[in-house]
Amino acid sequence: MAEKHAALITGGSRGIGRAIALRLAKDGYHAIINFRVNTAEAQRTLQLIVNDGGSAELSQFDVVDRKAAATALEGLLARYTVEVLVLCAGIRRDEALVFMNEDQWDSVLDTNLSSFYTVVKPVVQQMLLNRNGRIIAISSTSGESGVQGQVNYCAAKAGIIGAMKALALECAKRNVLVNAITPGFIETEMLSGMDRKALAQTIPLKRLGTPEEVAATVSFLASSGAGYITGQVIRVNGGIYL
Ligand code: NDP
Protein backbone atom coordinates (compact mmCIF):
# COMPACT_ATOMS: atom_id res chain seq x y z
CA MET A 1 0.00 0.00 0.00
CA ALA A 2 1.41 3.38 -0.97
CA GLU A 3 2.16 5.61 2.00
CA LYS A 4 2.86 9.24 1.07
CA HIS A 5 1.25 11.80 -1.22
CA ALA A 6 3.79 12.55 -3.84
CA ALA A 7 4.44 14.76 -6.85
CA LEU A 8 6.62 13.30 -9.59
CA ILE A 9 8.43 15.81 -11.76
CA THR A 10 10.22 14.48 -14.84
CA GLY A 11 13.21 16.68 -15.65
CA GLY A 12 12.93 18.06 -12.12
CA SER A 13 16.63 18.57 -11.51
CA ARG A 14 17.37 21.82 -13.34
CA GLY A 15 15.72 24.90 -14.81
CA ILE A 16 11.93 24.98 -14.81
CA GLY A 17 11.66 21.48 -13.33
CA ARG A 18 13.77 22.45 -10.33
CA ALA A 19 11.54 25.43 -9.58
CA ILE A 20 8.49 23.16 -9.87
CA ALA A 21 10.00 20.57 -7.51
CA LEU A 22 10.82 23.27 -4.96
CA ARG A 23 7.37 24.78 -5.21
CA LEU A 24 5.45 21.50 -4.93
CA ALA A 25 7.61 20.47 -1.97
CA LYS A 26 6.72 23.79 -0.35
CA ASP A 27 3.08 22.97 -1.05
CA GLY A 28 3.52 19.82 1.06
CA TYR A 29 4.14 17.08 -1.48
CA HIS A 30 6.95 14.57 -1.31
CA ALA A 31 8.80 15.69 -4.46
CA ILE A 32 10.18 12.91 -6.64
CA ILE A 33 12.82 14.50 -8.81
CA ASN A 34 13.48 12.64 -12.04
CA PHE A 35 16.55 13.41 -14.15
CA ARG A 36 18.69 11.68 -16.75
CA VAL A 37 22.43 12.33 -16.30
CA ASN A 38 23.27 15.42 -14.28
CA THR A 39 23.46 14.00 -10.76
CA ALA A 40 25.16 17.09 -9.30
CA GLU A 41 22.29 19.38 -10.29
CA ALA A 42 19.73 16.84 -9.09
CA GLN A 43 21.50 16.57 -5.72
CA ARG A 44 21.48 20.36 -5.48
CA THR A 45 17.72 20.47 -6.02
CA LEU A 46 17.23 17.78 -3.39
CA GLN A 47 19.40 19.72 -0.93
CA LEU A 48 17.50 22.97 -1.56
CA ILE A 49 14.23 21.21 -0.71
CA VAL A 50 15.63 19.55 2.40
CA ASN A 51 17.15 22.87 3.56
CA ASP A 52 13.71 24.39 3.16
CA GLY A 53 12.17 21.73 5.41
CA GLY A 54 10.60 19.78 2.54
CA SER A 55 10.57 16.11 1.61
CA ALA A 56 12.09 14.80 -1.63
CA GLU A 57 14.05 12.05 -3.32
CA LEU A 58 15.83 11.52 -6.61
CA SER A 59 14.71 9.10 -9.30
CA GLN A 60 17.22 8.77 -12.10
CA PHE A 61 15.89 7.33 -15.33
CA ASP A 62 15.82 8.28 -18.98
CA VAL A 63 12.21 8.96 -20.03
CA VAL A 64 13.17 7.68 -23.50
CA ASP A 65 14.22 4.29 -22.16
CA ARG A 66 10.88 2.48 -21.83
CA LYS A 67 12.24 -0.44 -19.85
CA ALA A 68 14.20 1.67 -17.36
CA ALA A 69 11.28 4.06 -16.93
CA ALA A 70 8.81 1.20 -16.36
CA THR A 71 11.03 -0.37 -13.70
CA ALA A 72 11.58 2.93 -11.89
CA LEU A 73 7.92 3.90 -12.03
CA GLU A 74 6.77 0.49 -10.79
CA GLY A 75 8.97 0.92 -7.72
CA LEU A 76 7.76 4.47 -7.08
CA LEU A 77 4.08 3.60 -7.49
CA ALA A 78 4.43 0.74 -5.02
CA ARG A 79 5.64 3.19 -2.40
CA TYR A 80 3.74 6.37 -3.15
CA THR A 81 0.38 7.70 -4.16
CA VAL A 82 1.35 10.05 -6.95
CA GLU A 83 -1.22 12.84 -6.82
CA VAL A 84 0.60 15.21 -9.16
CA LEU A 85 2.59 14.31 -12.26
CA VAL A 86 4.47 17.07 -14.04
CA LEU A 87 5.97 16.21 -17.42
CA CYS A 88 8.87 18.62 -17.73
CA ALA A 89 11.75 16.58 -19.20
CA GLY A 90 12.59 18.10 -22.55
CA ILE A 91 15.35 18.91 -25.00
CA ARG A 92 15.70 20.95 -28.15
CA ARG A 93 17.97 20.23 -31.11
CA ASP A 94 17.30 23.10 -33.50
CA GLU A 95 18.04 22.81 -37.21
CA ALA A 96 16.27 23.75 -40.42
CA LEU A 97 14.37 20.69 -41.61
CA VAL A 98 16.38 20.37 -44.81
CA PHE A 99 19.54 19.92 -42.74
CA MET A 100 17.99 18.01 -39.84
CA ASN A 101 19.41 14.54 -39.30
CA GLU A 102 17.42 11.56 -38.05
CA ASP A 103 18.88 11.78 -34.58
CA GLN A 104 17.82 15.40 -34.19
CA TRP A 105 14.28 14.47 -35.18
CA ASP A 106 14.06 11.23 -33.17
CA SER A 107 15.68 12.47 -29.96
CA VAL A 108 13.41 15.51 -29.73
CA LEU A 109 10.24 13.55 -30.51
CA ASP A 110 11.24 10.70 -28.19
CA THR A 111 12.17 12.91 -25.24
CA ASN A 112 9.43 15.51 -25.45
CA LEU A 113 6.49 13.53 -26.84
CA SER A 114 6.83 9.74 -26.72
CA SER A 115 7.75 10.01 -23.04
CA PHE A 116 4.15 11.13 -22.51
CA TYR A 117 3.03 7.54 -23.22
CA THR A 118 5.87 5.96 -21.27
CA VAL A 119 5.48 7.99 -18.09
CA VAL A 120 1.79 8.80 -18.01
CA LYS A 121 0.43 5.30 -18.67
CA PRO A 122 1.49 3.64 -15.40
CA VAL A 123 0.94 6.77 -13.28
CA VAL A 124 -2.53 7.50 -14.59
CA GLN A 125 -3.59 3.93 -13.85
CA GLN A 126 -2.95 4.58 -10.17
CA MET A 127 -4.68 7.97 -10.34
CA LEU A 128 -7.76 6.47 -12.01
CA LEU A 129 -8.01 3.79 -9.33
CA ASN A 130 -7.76 6.49 -6.63
CA ARG A 131 -10.18 8.75 -8.51
CA ASN A 132 -7.79 11.60 -7.86
CA GLY A 133 -4.89 13.12 -9.74
CA ARG A 134 -3.46 16.04 -11.61
CA ILE A 135 -1.29 15.74 -14.69
CA ILE A 136 0.44 18.87 -15.95
CA ALA A 137 2.43 18.70 -19.17
CA ILE A 138 4.98 21.39 -19.96
CA SER A 139 4.50 22.14 -23.65
CA SER A 140 5.73 25.40 -25.19
CA THR A 141 4.68 28.46 -27.12
CA SER A 142 6.55 26.71 -29.94
CA GLY A 143 3.85 24.04 -29.89
CA GLU A 144 1.19 26.66 -30.58
CA SER A 145 3.00 28.60 -33.28
CA GLY A 146 5.64 27.61 -35.77
CA VAL A 147 9.23 28.57 -35.06
CA GLN A 148 11.92 28.46 -37.76
CA GLY A 149 14.50 25.79 -37.10
CA GLN A 150 12.25 23.94 -34.67
CA VAL A 151 10.12 21.66 -36.85
CA ASN A 152 11.01 18.76 -34.52
CA TYR A 153 10.41 20.68 -31.27
CA CYS A 154 7.20 22.34 -32.52
CA ALA A 155 5.84 18.95 -33.62
CA ALA A 156 6.61 17.42 -30.23
CA LYS A 157 5.20 20.29 -28.20
CA ALA A 158 2.03 20.50 -30.34
CA GLY A 159 1.67 16.74 -29.96
CA ILE A 160 1.70 17.11 -26.18
CA ILE A 161 -1.26 19.47 -26.40
CA GLY A 162 -3.28 16.97 -28.47
CA ALA A 163 -2.38 14.11 -26.15
CA MET A 164 -3.29 16.20 -23.10
CA LYS A 165 -6.71 17.11 -24.51
CA ALA A 166 -7.59 13.52 -25.37
CA LEU A 167 -6.39 12.20 -22.01
CA ALA A 168 -8.36 14.89 -20.18
CA LEU A 169 -11.53 13.54 -21.82
CA GLU A 170 -10.63 9.96 -20.97
CA CYS A 171 -9.99 10.75 -17.30
CA ALA A 172 -12.52 13.44 -16.38
CA LYS A 173 -15.14 10.99 -15.04
CA ARG A 174 -12.66 9.79 -12.46
CA ASN A 175 -11.53 13.20 -11.22
CA VAL A 176 -8.13 13.04 -12.86
CA LEU A 177 -7.47 16.47 -14.36
CA VAL A 178 -5.03 16.93 -17.23
CA ASN A 179 -3.71 20.28 -18.43
CA ALA A 180 -0.75 21.79 -20.26
CA ILE A 181 1.31 24.90 -19.71
CA THR A 182 2.91 26.66 -22.66
CA PRO A 183 5.81 28.76 -21.39
CA GLY A 184 7.30 31.41 -23.64
CA PHE A 185 10.97 32.27 -23.19
CA ILE A 186 12.03 31.24 -19.70
CA GLU A 187 15.47 32.00 -18.27
CA THR A 188 17.16 28.56 -18.17
CA GLU A 189 20.07 26.74 -19.77
CA MET A 190 17.77 25.74 -22.59
CA LEU A 191 18.11 29.26 -23.98
CA SER A 192 21.90 29.00 -24.16
CA GLY A 193 23.18 30.30 -27.47
CA MET A 194 20.18 32.61 -27.92
CA ASP A 195 20.37 36.40 -27.77
CA ARG A 196 18.37 37.01 -24.58
CA LYS A 197 18.25 40.81 -25.00
CA ALA A 198 16.88 40.55 -28.52
CA LEU A 199 14.39 37.92 -27.41
CA ALA A 200 13.15 40.16 -24.60
CA GLN A 201 12.34 42.91 -27.10
CA THR A 202 9.89 40.59 -28.88
CA ILE A 203 7.89 40.01 -25.68
CA PRO A 204 5.17 42.48 -24.60
CA LEU A 205 6.45 42.40 -20.98
CA LYS A 206 9.96 43.11 -22.35
CA ARG A 207 11.65 40.43 -20.27
CA LEU A 208 12.13 36.69 -20.13
CA GLY A 209 10.04 34.67 -17.70
CA THR A 210 11.42 32.94 -14.62
CA PRO A 211 11.17 29.25 -13.77
CA GLU A 212 9.36 30.30 -10.58
CA GLU A 213 6.60 31.93 -12.64
CA VAL A 214 5.98 28.63 -14.42
CA ALA A 215 6.13 26.79 -11.10
CA ALA A 216 3.49 29.09 -9.61
CA THR A 217 1.12 28.07 -12.41
CA VAL A 218 1.86 24.39 -11.79
CA SER A 219 1.15 24.92 -8.10
CA PHE A 220 -2.22 26.47 -8.97
CA LEU A 221 -3.16 23.67 -11.38
CA ALA A 222 -2.29 21.14 -8.66
CA SER A 223 -4.37 22.96 -6.04
CA SER A 224 -7.99 22.43 -5.02
CA GLY A 225 -8.74 25.87 -6.46
CA ALA A 226 -8.15 24.45 -9.95
CA GLY A 227 -10.62 21.60 -9.45
CA TYR A 228 -12.82 22.65 -12.38
CA ILE A 229 -10.01 23.08 -14.94
CA THR A 230 -9.16 20.23 -17.27
CA GLY A 231 -8.15 19.88 -20.90
CA GLN A 232 -6.78 23.43 -20.98
CA VAL A 233 -3.64 25.12 -22.21
CA ILE A 234 -2.40 27.81 -19.82
CA ARG A 235 -0.01 30.29 -21.43
CA VAL A 236 2.84 31.70 -19.32
CA ASN A 237 4.52 33.77 -21.97
CA GLY A 238 4.73 37.46 -21.05
CA GLY A 239 1.78 38.47 -23.19
CA ILE A 240 2.66 36.98 -26.57
CA TYR A 241 -0.54 36.70 -28.64
CA LEU A 242 -0.78 33.65 -30.84
P1 NDP B 1 16.72 22.48 -18.96
O1 NDP B 1 17.57 22.10 -20.12
O2 NDP B 1 17.16 23.56 -18.05
O3 NDP B 1 16.40 21.16 -18.07
C1 NDP B 1 15.98 19.99 -18.72
C2 NDP B 1 15.60 18.96 -17.68
O4 NDP B 1 15.09 17.80 -18.36
C3 NDP B 1 16.77 18.48 -16.84
O5 NDP B 1 16.31 18.16 -15.55
C4 NDP B 1 17.22 17.21 -17.59
O6 NDP B 1 17.92 16.29 -16.77
C5 NDP B 1 15.85 16.67 -17.97
N1 NDP B 1 15.90 15.70 -19.07
C6 NDP B 1 16.28 15.93 -20.36
N2 NDP B 1 16.20 14.78 -21.07
C7 NDP B 1 15.75 13.82 -20.21
C8 NDP B 1 15.46 12.45 -20.33
N3 NDP B 1 15.61 11.81 -21.49
N4 NDP B 1 15.01 11.76 -19.25
C9 NDP B 1 14.85 12.39 -18.05
N5 NDP B 1 15.10 13.70 -17.87
C10 NDP B 1 15.56 14.41 -18.93
O7 NDP B 1 15.30 22.82 -19.60
P2 NDP B 1 14.18 23.89 -19.14
O8 NDP B 1 14.04 23.88 -17.68
O9 NDP B 1 14.42 25.14 -19.87
O10 NDP B 1 12.89 23.21 -19.81
C11 NDP B 1 12.02 22.35 -19.08
C12 NDP B 1 10.82 22.05 -19.97
O11 NDP B 1 10.18 23.27 -20.31
C13 NDP B 1 11.19 21.36 -21.27
O12 NDP B 1 10.19 20.42 -21.61
C14 NDP B 1 11.17 22.50 -22.27
O13 NDP B 1 10.92 22.04 -23.58
C15 NDP B 1 10.06 23.36 -21.73
N6 NDP B 1 10.12 24.76 -22.14
C16 NDP B 1 11.22 25.54 -21.84
C17 NDP B 1 11.23 26.87 -22.22
C18 NDP B 1 12.37 27.78 -21.92
O14 NDP B 1 12.37 28.92 -22.44
N7 NDP B 1 13.34 27.40 -21.12
C19 NDP B 1 10.11 27.46 -22.96
C20 NDP B 1 9.02 26.56 -23.21
C21 NDP B 1 9.03 25.26 -22.80
P3 NDP B 1 19.54 16.08 -17.01
O15 NDP B 1 20.19 17.37 -16.66
O16 NDP B 1 19.91 14.96 -16.10
O17 NDP B 1 19.69 15.75 -18.47
Side-chain angles (χ1 to χ4, degrees):
M1 183 65 189
E3 29 173 76
K4 269 189 182 175
H5 299 292
L8 168 62
I9 305 105
T10 70
S13 59
R14 292 190 285 118
I16 295 172
R18 168 181 285 160
I20 293 169
L22 262 67
R23 179 63 191 252
L24 291 177
K26 220 177 180 49
D27 291 345
Y29 293 99
H30 175 70
I32 303 168
I33 301 158
N34 160 255
F35 67 105
R36 186 174 58 101
V37 286
N38 196 332
T39 308
E41 290 294 309
Q43 287 287 2
R44 190 160 164 250
T45 305
L46 177 63
Q47 200 55 51
L48 287 168
I49 291 175
V50 171
N51 291 349
D52 203 30
S55 169
E57 71 182 66
L58 301 183
S59 178
Q60 180 174 14
F61 64 88
D62 184 340
V63 295
V64 175
D65 183 339
R66 291 223 164 108
K67 219 170 156 193
T71 304
L73 289 167
E74 194 184 320
L76 290 171
L77 292 165
R79 286 187 293 132
Y80 299 111
T81 300
V82 176
E83 288 190 347
V84 180
L85 169 62
V86 185
L87 302 166
C88 192
I91 57 165
R92 65 178 183 90
R93 299 271 188 273
D94 297 355
E95 187 60 271
L97 184 76
V98 287
F99 301 118
M100 189 178 289
N101 63 40
E102 287 180 0
D103 184 58
Q104 287 169 320
W105 175 265
D106 290 341
S107 60
V108 169
L109 269 289
D110 289 349
T111 306
N112 294 279
L113 181 59
S114 293
S115 60
F116 188 101
Y117 170 81
T118 305
V119 177
V120 170
K121 188 177 174 186
V123 177
V124 82
Q125 282 171 355
Q126 188 195 57
M127 289 177 169
L128 291 170
L129 281 173
N130 291 335
R131 293 178 179 270
N132 181 43
R134 302 286 169 94
I135 298 173
I136 300 150
I138 307 299
S139 173
S140 168
T141 303
S142 299
E144 300 177 284
S145 69
V147 177
Q148 281 185 48
Q150 291 196 329
V151 171
N152 50 358
Y153 188 76
C154 293
K157 292 302 191 183
I160 286 174
I161 292 173
M164 172 281 289
K165 287 185 176 177
L167 187 68
L169 292 174
E170 290 182 8
C171 296
K173 266 193 302 204
R174 288 191 172 233
N175 193 38
V176 176
L177 311 186
V178 191
N179 292 289
I181 296 174
T182 52
F185 295 110
I186 308 298
E187 187 71 70
T188 73
E189 272 175 39
M190 194 173 265
L191 297 192
S192 63
M194 293 186 172
D195 181 344
R196 289 164 153 83
K197 270 197 179 151
L199 281 181
Q201 287 316 305
T202 68
I203 301 166
L205 282 179
K206 299 295 176 206
R207 66 171 178 86
L208 306 184
T210 67
E212 290 72 24
E213 286 168 328
V214 180
T217 307
V218 171
S219 172
F220 169 65
L221 287 174
S223 73
S224 57
Y228 203 54
I229 300 175
T230 194
Q232 305 303 311
V233 177
I234 312 291
R235 293 173 176 162
V236 182
N237 67 15
I240 299 169
Y241 287 100
L242 298 162

